[in-house]
Amino acid sequence: MAGDTILELKNVAAHYGRIQALKGISLSVREGEVVSIIGANGAGKSTTLMTICGIVRASEGAVHYAGQDITRVNADKLPRMGLCQVPEGRRIFPRLSVAENLDMGAFFRRRKRRIRADMEMVYEYFPRLRERRSQAGGTLSGGEQQMLAIGRALMSRPKVLLLDEPSLGLAPIIVKQIFDIVQTINQEQGVTILLVEQNANLALQASNRGYVLETGKVVMADDAASLLDNPDIRKAYLGE
Amino acid sequence: MDNAFTFFAQQMLNGLTLGGLYALIALGYTMVYGIIQLINFAHGEFFAAGGYMGVILLSYMAGAGYMDTHPWLCIGFSLVLSMLYCAMLAMAVEKVAYKPLRHSSRLSVLLSALGMSIFLQNALMLTQGVYDKAYPGGIFGAPFEIGGVIVNYMQLLILALTAGLLVALNFLVFKTRVGRAMRATAQDKVMSALVGINSNRVISLTFAIGAGLAAAAGIMVGFYYGSVRFEMGFVPGIKAFAAAVLGGIGNITGAMIGGFIIGMVEIMAAAYIPYGGEYKDVCAFIILIAVLYFRPTGIMGENVDDTRV
Amino acid sequence: MTHGFRKQLLYFMVALVWLFALLWPLLDINPDGTLGFWRSFAAWMPIAVAGSIVFVLYQIRQAGWLGAPARMLETGRQALGARLSLIPAWVWFVLIAAVFFAIPQFTDRRVHDILIQVLVYVCLGLGLNIVIGLCGLLDLGFIAFYGVGAYTYALLSLHYGISFWLALPVAAFLAMIAGCIIGYPTLRMRGDYLAIVTLGFGEIVRIILNNWMSLTNGPNGVMAKPLTVPLPMFEGGFRIEEVALRSLGDLYYVAFFLAIITIIAVNRLNFSRIGRAWEAIREDETAAELMGVNTFAFKLMAYAMGAVFGGLAGAFFAARMGFVAPESFTFLESALVLSIVVLGGMGSIPGIILGAFAIIALPEVFREFQMYRMLAFGGAMTFMMLVRPAGLIPAKRMGKRGEEEE
């Protein structure tokens, strides 16, 4: 199922002020894959995604996407190139309605009819959002907000979707639903997914491959299945 | 008709006119605050610059004789041109004094704004002089009377123009794509970038719109009071900011309501309270303090988190 | 990094040019129909020159040409610093105090006048520093307390003939009361709301001074008695007599005395338990409250203490001028004091002293450009924020706040 490499990080470093958050990350994602990045708090997982998107500027190294160097491309140019992120904490626009939030996902698109159709598609995936479409985003529950955040990202018709901690603070049953939908999106729409998770077990089960991050470095990279079997990983991240 | 009622109605009309002007200025404050959490002290100066640009243009046109042949065209032309000019000025000020400080502490930006305000005010003073500049008069004809209430054509124009601008702004912010981008940027700049909004452009636009509205208010004040003055931006500026806070800073509808309340209170205080004329400026602030004391988010303000207040 | 910086600088320069192009109609199109270029050019030039110098210096540093001399300077500075640090701090203090003490002996009236102004603003700046630098409350109406102090002395001396030294504590006390009255309703608000409300209160005080004809004589102002000091007299038997200080050189010593008192008091406050509580509030009000700091009481205290020094400075101002009027207490004065605090370095006492010199004394030196003073002041304020937002001498104990990090 995996095609050509679509997203590649070459030795990327990033700083917050003087603190170095990433110390040379290299990873690659092939078209159609689900790849997860696991690691403890503060390992640099979210920073990796923010650096890919250009919110945090890479101080060294390069980010390549679909054959282009996007290291210095401004964040707001990326969605129309098909690279889209669901950030940590969902970042719903709290005072926009659910429908407006979804519309924001398609902000750079001009074709109204296709946007309508995509919105219908999102409502198919997440029927709850249809019920709440005129409610303000900030009034939704955590699970609904996560659905809305994913739905909003889908509205941009992404080729690659970066998902940051979709399970954060959600009840296990909701987490299961969300992961099911993530896999459906990958299979039905052919969206490549790069997933960041603390819940390593869940993430690896849903992925083809995985990277393990520790204090800003990749310490291990392997097939998801092998990582799940690896005794070190089991001990450090799977709570055994 | 009853005398007291006529007097009241007259004050109502005056209060509405003044309130409309405050509302126009307050919008610029509230929009800028909503989007980058900055009290834009220089905003009052855009208002003054608009008034001066108007008098400059109108004097030229009067000198060339167009004012006698096509007065309305001249007024419209100078209004549009001043609004455009102030919009561009505001964008330049934003780029020079605020944008490089986007990641600095809020106090730095605030002081930068204060510096720009002093700079622009003195730029006006240096060239336009310390004395009042008179607007061309006699364009609008004599005031007329409805049931004892004296109505000035200028007041009608102000009310109509204010209403028009407010409706247009509401449409822009709540119904268009650009407006959605503005609201989204105000709520979460990182996420807006992630959905493809260029926040710098949106911020520039916000400054431009706010300053344009202030410039319109500046010209109307010039016509209404007959003259402009280099320091005219300061007091209406802080009152308009008070109006914006009163309505719930960041909230566009709130700023409009706050502007009308402040204008109304000021006129009513001057009319009905002994010594109210001298202390009308105090009234505006006392209301502001009282409202903030009992309802710190303002009339229309949402319960925003600490970081925003 | 450099690439990004250069791009930003380029944008900034383009924006600057654009701004000045836009300022041109405001500056040089006259309503009588004449056009000019000179005025906008005059406003333009200093900034353009300063900008190019900074740019060239930056380029030179980037190119590393400054490396050798800079290193030599640095080693020299370190060696000197090591020597100097052996001398105890009080020696420095005495030395500096002695220099200041001696200044009036060999300078003229004009210098005295400027120095007195500077010292008054040092008091004001340090007072405001308590509120804004230590406690983190943005106060845009600080000049109101200055006004209260000034009017207190002027009215007391005019109506009751009370001498300056007796009126001084009264002025400080009344300013403190004013601080509490203003503080009580406003301190529950945070941040920008507080700023606008204090601005409003400052204006209210000014408007009241302007309109309460029976008390303050409105815009015409009030005459104040000159400052007197009790001196022992030996002619015809020993007695103590009030002698009016008329020369600016003598007044300078009074101002100097007040400034020293203020510096010592603020320094003591800074390193006291109260000072720590203030800093805790500044860094994180909620956390301070959770640690058992009565934030409201401490904030009110900061306000009151700041007001006290404002009141002292005000009383002196009234005595020195011999006349007070509401026009001395406008928002612009508040802005001036605020900019002293911020340019000098919030929370830093030497910084504020330097800031007062920079803001009050420098413009006096360039008297010939009187017209352009405020214009330059506004421009410089923005410029300082762009290049050195932490102030000339940043406070050592000031922690960097999360929001300030890049």
Side-chain angles (χ1 to χ4, degrees):
Chain A
M1 62 177 289
D4 299 334
T5 299
I6 187 160
L7 179 68
E8 190 169 22
L9 275 70
K10 289 178 184 159
N11 207 22
V12 169
H15 296 254
Y16 287 111
R18 284 185 187 169
I19 302 155
Q20 186 165 21
L22 301 182
K23 302 168 182 166
I25 300 262
S26 296
L27 60 82
S28 64
V29 180
R30 290 196 290 273
E31 226 170 326
E33 270 187 321
V34 179
V35 174
S36 56
I37 302 177
I38 60 176
N41 244 339
K45 300 173 305 220
S46 296
T47 310
T48 309
L49 294 197
M50 284 300 180
T51 312
I52 294 173
C53 282
I55 301 281
V56 177
R57 281 268 175 250
S59 43
E60 276 167 55
V63 183
H64 286 269
Y65 166 76
Q68 272 173 286
D69 185 351
I70 59 163
T71 324
R72 308 229 164 264
V73 174
N74 275 340
D76 54 273
K77 301 280 186 299
L78 294 172
R80 70 200 72 185
M81 295 166 71
L83 181 63
C84 195
Q85 186 180 171
V86 180
E88 188 177 7
R90 293 130 207 165
R91 289 191 177 241
I92 299 298
F93 296 112
R95 279 162 279 147
L96 295 186
S97 70
V98 168
E100 280 178 311
N101 262 290
L102 289 176
D103 254 339
M104 285 318 292
F107 183 76
F108 62 91
R109 295 168 61 190
R110 299 274 182 180
R111 292 240 179 97
K112 285 232 169 66
R113 190 174 298 166
R114 293 204 185 169
I115 294 175
R116 286 266 139 251
D118 283 349
M119 203 183 274
E120 279 308 309
M121 172 198 81
V122 171
Y123 286 147
E124 293 296 313
Y125 280 127
F126 304 107
R128 288 285 279 285
L129 295 183
R130 193 198 298 273
E131 295 165 26
R132 318 233 155 193
R133 63 178 163 234
S134 51
Q135 213 171 307
T139 63
L140 298 185
S141 74
E144 288 163 347
Q145 287 195 1
Q146 189 63 58
M147 293 175 193
L148 178 54
I150 295 175
R152 180 178 57 189
L154 287 180
M155 292 296 291
S156 69
R157 293 231 147 234
K159 278 188 238 154
V160 175
L161 187 60
L162 312 176
L163 270 173
D164 198 345
E165 300 268 7
S167 76
L168 194 74
L170 299 184
I173 180 154
I174 311 269
V175 175
K176 172 116 187 18
Q177 272 179 24
I178 286 184
F179 270 82
D180 285 347
I181 286 172
V182 168
Q183 279 181 307
T184 318
I185 291 165
N186 174 250
Q187 276 145 27
E188 283 182 6
Q189 316 248 335
V191 177
T192 310
I193 290 173
L194 179 58
L195 178 69
V196 154
E197 259 296 347
Q198 282 207 56
N199 189 337
N201 197 8
L202 220 88
L204 290 174
Q205 275 172 12
S207 322
N208 307 107
R209 291 188 303 119
Y211 290 86
V212 182
L213 239 62
E214 249 169 49
T215 59
K217 274 184 234 156
V218 176
V219 292
M220 205 180 288
D222 211 337
D223 284 344
S226 338
L227 282 177
L228 273 172
D229 290 334
N230 187 315
D232 290 343
I233 298 292
R234 296 193 75 86
K235 206 165 141 199
Y237 298 106
L238 303 176
E240 282 177 23
Chain B
M1 206 176 284
D2 186 14
N3 219 350
F5 178 77
T6 317
F7 183 69
F8 179 73
Q10 180 75 57
Q11 302 310 322
M12 279 291 277
L13 179 68
N14 295 350
L16 268 179
T17 316
L18 189 63
L21 295 172
Y22 283 151
L24 282 181
I25 310 171
L27 282 167
Y29 277 112
T30 218
M31 284 164 72
V32 165
Y33 192 94
I35 212 153
I36 57 171
Q37 282 79 49
L38 162 73
I39 303 177
N40 182 15
F41 274 105
H43 189 67
E45 268 51 64
F46 300 145
F47 160 75
Y52 267 101
M53 209 57 196
V55 81
I56 292 170
L57 290 167
L58 285 168
S59 309
Y60 269 126
M61 286 186 275
Y66 294 123
M67 212 51 188
D68 304 323
T69 48
H70 307 95
W72 289 102
L73 208 63
C74 285
I75 291 170
F77 180 70
S78 52
L79 186 76
V80 169
L81 218 61
S82 308
M83 284 172 78
L84 276 178
Y85 171 72
C86 282
M88 276 165 43
L89 187 64
M91 278 158 82
V93 166
E94 193 267 328
K95 291 269 180 281
V96 168
Y98 307 151
K99 194 184 158 210
L101 294 170
R102 198 63 51 75
H103 301 290
S104 315
S105 81
R106 292 181 42 193
L107 193 64
S108 310
V109 198
L110 194 73
L111 285 166
S112 185
L114 206 54
M116 269 294 139
S117 162
I118 296 170
F119 181 85
L120 289 174
Q121 196 181 43
N122 281 279
L124 274 177
M125 184 198 75
L126 278 173
T127 52
Q128 307 299 327
V130 289
Y131 303 110
D132 291 12
K133 278 252 137 75
Y135 260 67
I139 303 163
F140 298 103
F144 60 93
E145 213 181 294
I146 308 176
V149 178
I150 298 163
V151 182
N152 203 319
Y153 280 103
M154 192 57 222
Q155 284 179 315
L156 291 184
L157 180 66
I158 289 177
L159 286 174
L161 203 57
T162 308
L165 287 172
L166 294 186
V167 168
L169 182 74
N170 255 312
F171 179 79
L172 180 83
V173 172
F174 293 107
K175 295 280 185 264
T176 65
R177 188 166 167 273
V178 175
R180 253 196 300 136
M182 282 169 69
R183 282 183 295 149
T185 310
Q187 291 175 35
D188 189 336
K189 268 186 258 325
V190 170
M191 194 59 228
S192 311
L194 286 177
V195 296
I197 296 168
N198 184 336
S199 62
N200 281 330
R201 216 172 283 164
V202 172
I203 291 168
S204 279
L205 185 75
T206 309
F207 270 87
I209 292 172
L213 294 176
I219 289 201
M220 286 188 270
V221 163
F223 274 121
Y224 193 46
Y225 294 106
S227 64
V228 286
R229 213 178 138 67
F230 75 97
E231 57 191 4
M232 72 191 241
F234 177 64
V235 173
I238 52 177
K239 276 191 215 155
F241 186 75
V245 173
L246 188 64
I249 190 95
N251 186 311
I252 287 173
T253 322
M256 297 177 190
I257 294 172
F260 280 111
I261 290 178
I262 296 267
M264 209 55 117
V265 164
E266 212 177 292
I267 294 286
M268 290 299 168
Y272 287 101
I273 300 174
Y275 297 111
E278 283 95 342
Y279 289 104
K280 63 185 195 324
D281 293 353
V282 175
C283 287
F285 288 117
I286 287 177
I287 292 209
L288 172 77
I289 292 162
V291 168
L292 285 183
Y293 189 67
F294 292 111
R295 198 178 149 74
T297 52
I299 298 170
M300 300 283 291
E302 297 90 354
N303 258 323
V304 285
D305 53 345
D306 268 350
T307 53
R308 277 204 54 198
V309 181
Chain C
M1 192 67 203
T2 331
H3 172 80
F5 179 78
R6 229 178 257 170
K7 204 168 142 194
Q8 269 180 16
L9 198 70
L10 186 72
Y11 274 136
F12 179 75
M13 285 301 170
V14 170
L16 205 61
V17 172
W18 180 19
L19 175 64
F20 277 93
L22 282 169
L23 277 178
W24 176 67
L26 274 188
L27 283 166
D28 268 326
I29 296 182
N30 301 321
D32 59 11
T34 53
L35 294 177
F37 286 92
W38 187 78
R39 273 193 282 225
S40 44
F41 191 69
W44 216 138
M45 263 329 269
I47 294 179
V49 169
S52 345
I53 291 173
V54 169
F55 187 72
V56 168
L57 278 178
Y58 179 79
Q59 286 298 322
I60 290 174
R61 215 185 80 184
Q62 283 298 311
W65 294 347
L66 274 180
R71 262 195 301 282
M72 271 163 62
L73 246 148
E74 181 61 21
T75 46
R77 205 180 64 84
Q78 273 173 8
L80 203 68
R83 289 278 169 75
L84 291 182
S85 66
L86 293 177
I87 304 169
W90 63 266
V91 174
W92 282 115
F93 197 72
V94 168
L95 246 156
I96 292 172
V99 167
F100 271 88
F101 212 72
I103 282 177
Q105 303 306 329
F106 45 84
T107 48
D108 63 353
R109 262 187 70 85
R110 210 185 119 201
V111 177
H112 297 167
D113 187 30
I114 295 171
L115 282 178
I116 287 172
Q117 269 197 61
V118 168
L119 290 170
V120 167
Y121 277 96
V122 166
C123 290
L124 284 174
L126 288 173
L128 182 60
N129 176 50
I130 295 178
V131 185
I132 187 168
L134 297 182
C135 202
L137 303 168
L138 184 52
D139 183 353
L140 294 179
F142 187 71
I143 216 67
F145 308 128
Y146 187 54
V148 169
Y151 267 89
T152 304
Y153 172 67
L155 292 174
L156 282 179
S157 77
L158 184 72
H159 295 305
Y160 304 104
I162 292 176
S163 83
F164 176 73
W165 300 100
L166 279 176
L168 199 61
V170 181
F173 180 73
L174 284 185
M176 192 179 84
I177 298 287
C180 290
I181 292 172
I182 294 178
Y184 185 75
T186 55
L187 287 180
R188 290 173 199 280
M189 301 157 198
R190 283 184 179 193
D192 297 335
Y193 284 172
L194 182 69
I196 191 71
V197 169
T198 49
L199 197 161
F201 261 119
E203 281 296 295
I204 287 177
V205 169
R206 193 183 60 80
I207 293 164
I208 289 175
L209 291 178
N210 212 6
N211 289 312
W212 194 350
M213 291 302 287
S214 56
L215 182 71
T216 66
N217 200 21
N220 302 328
V222 182
M223 300 297 281
K225 288 248 171 73
L227 208 157
T228 58
V229 280
L231 282 180
M233 302 296 258
F234 297 107
E235 293 158 33
F238 179 82
R239 66 201 151 88
I240 288 175
E241 200 170 90
E242 295 277 316
V243 177
L245 295 183
R246 301 221 177 257
S247 96
L248 281 176
D250 296 339
L251 280 170
Y252 167 84
Y253 286 109
V254 178
F256 186 54
F257 171 72
L258 284 179
I260 291 288
I261 297 277
T262 311
I263 290 170
I264 293 173
V266 172
N267 193 42
R268 300 284 300 171
L269 277 173
N270 198 351
F271 292 99
S272 68
R273 185 175 155 273
I274 301 170
R276 272 205 306 281
W278 284 338
E279 279 180 300
I281 291 169
R282 180 189 72 207
E283 294 308 315
D284 190 333
E285 196 174 333
T286 312
E289 198 152 16
L290 291 175
M291 299 315 288
V293 176
N294 183 347
T295 54
F296 183 73
F298 274 102
K299 277 167 33 177
L300 198 60
M301 199 191 302
Y303 228 70
M305 289 307 299
V308 163
F309 295 112
L312 290 180
F316 176 79
F317 170 78
R320 178 242 175 286
M321 297 306 283
F323 172 74
V324 285
E327 68 194 24
S328 306
F329 310 109
T330 55
F331 172 68
L332 200 64
E333 290 289 314
S334 285
L336 212 62
V337 180
L338 181 66
S339 56
I340 286 174
V341 174
V342 175
L343 293 197
M346 281 201 295
S348 144
I349 294 174
I352 288 163
I353 297 171
L354 188 66
F357 268 97
I359 292 206
I360 306 300
L362 275 189
E364 295 290 333
V365 178
F366 299 105
R367 263 272 161 81
E368 305 83 82
F369 304 102
Q370 187 78 14
M371 292 276 282
Y372 297 95
R373 244 173 79 172
M374 289 316 287
L375 187 82
F377 172 64
M381 200 151 148
T382 299
F383 182 70
M384 269 299 289
M385 287 302 109
L386 295 178
V387 297
R388 206 180 162 93
L392 295 169
I393 307 180
K396 282 189 184 129
R397 247 171 67 187
M398 278 273 281
K400 227 182 174 193
R401 265 179 264 184
E403 58 185 291
E404 285 165 39
E405 278 170 23
E406 282 170 49

